[in-house]
Amino acid sequence: IEVRRRLLGPEDPQTLNSVFHVAHVIAGQGRYAEAEKRYREVYELQKCVLGPEHPDSLVTKHNLGQVIVLEDRYSEAEGLLREVLSARRRVLRPEHPHTLDTMERLAEVSCLQANYATAESAFRELWYVKTRVLGPEHPNTLRCIHKLALAVTGQGRHADAERLYRQVFKLRIRVVGREHPDTLVSIAALASAIERQGRYQEAEVTW
């Protein structure tokens, strides 16, 4: 990075790309405060060089928001991610994968803040869009339904959650097989939903 800064300058796209990837690696190592500092450095320069709504700037800002989530600063992260979502809907399109990714992160942040009704609404919208764009049995669509069930569970609606978990479980058996890790997660979630309704013997059989 230092060589590129010296030869190309701190605002050169190659230099910024190097700092971005270093931040990504650092975040993957759990060094979130350091990663946040790097992402902020890149984003501030990208705003000047590319503009705040350039797709590359929005990728950096999205990642910055995710790192802040990992630092448990949910309200701050939510604000950043909402700005990214608004810009991505304008600059890209509502159904672009990057836009959907930001929507999903925001819904997850709502869950982390126990705003389950808000999360449910977002996950239902995502489910509708992903079903249309990716198909009803795509792994990303099924992951979305599973997260929707978590948001429903957070509101104490265990029977509704059970129906969603069963749906995901049946589809995952067909799509990826009974022994796939995602299917096993669905089995555990379904058994838990059944247990929460007091049907302990049925929950044990499900396990």
Side-chain angles (χ1 to χ4, degrees):
I1 293 175
E2 293 306 320
V3 172
R4 284 187 169 179
R5 278 178 175 150
R6 189 170 63 253
L7 296 177
L8 303 173
E11 298 180 357
D12 185 87
Q14 292 185 57
T15 305
L16 295 177
N17 190 54
S18 295
V19 180
F20 175 90
H21 284 292
V22 167
H24 184 73
V25 169
I26 290 171
Q29 296 173 347
R31 294 152 56 193
Y32 304 130
E34 190 177 347
E36 178 189 346
K37 181 180 177 181
R38 296 277 189 170
Y39 280 132
R40 286 191 185 279
E41 175 189 346
V42 175
Y43 179 63
E44 290 304 316
L45 289 170
Q46 285 176 326
K47 281 198 301 183
C48 297
V49 176
L50 303 173
E53 295 194 349
H54 187 280
D56 290 350
S57 303
L58 295 177
V59 168
T60 303
K61 191 173 183 178
H62 174 96
N63 285 17
L64 172 61
Q66 291 195 112
V67 165
I68 292 173
V69 169
L70 293 170
E71 295 180 276
D72 299 331
R73 287 153 46 206
Y74 303 133
S75 180
E76 181 181 353
E78 181 181 2
L80 282 172
L81 290 171
R82 287 199 182 282
E83 291 173 1
V84 174
L85 178 60
S86 177
R88 280 181 161 171
R89 281 174 167 161
R90 275 195 313 274
V91 175
L92 303 173
R93 64 180 189 276
E95 297 179 358
H96 190 280
H98 288 179
T99 307
L100 298 181
D101 189 33
T102 303
M103 285 181 65
E104 191 165 343
R105 296 292 85 74
L106 266 170
E108 291 170 357
V109 171
S110 293
C111 273
L112 289 168
Q113 297 178 93
N115 295 329
Y116 298 116
T118 300
E120 178 186 354
S121 178
F123 281 129
R124 286 193 184 280
E125 181 182 356
L126 274 168
W127 181 11
Y128 173 77
V129 174
K130 288 188 174 186
T131 297
R132 189 172 68 249
V133 174
L134 302 174
E137 298 184 358
H138 191 280
N140 286 351
T141 305
L142 300 183
R143 181 186 65 200
C144 181
I145 304 172
H146 182 91
K147 291 178 180 179
L148 168 60
L150 291 172
V152 170
T153 298
Q155 298 172 75
R157 289 160 40 210
H158 303 304
D160 291 340
E162 178 188 346
R163 284 190 287 272
L164 290 166
Y165 285 132
R166 282 192 188 279
Q167 180 177 351
V168 176
F169 175 53
K170 291 176 181 178
L171 288 171
R172 280 177 166 168
I173 287 176
R174 186 161 72 239
V175 174
V176 297
R178 183 175 290 271
E179 297 184 1
H180 190 278
D182 289 348
T183 308
L184 298 178
V185 168
S186 291
I187 294 173
L190 175 58
S192 180
I194 293 170
E195 184 179 2
R196 286 192 178 102
Q197 296 173 78
R199 288 150 46 206
Y200 302 113
Q201 189 172 9
E202 184 181 348
E204 184 178 353
V205 172
T206 303
W207 278 101

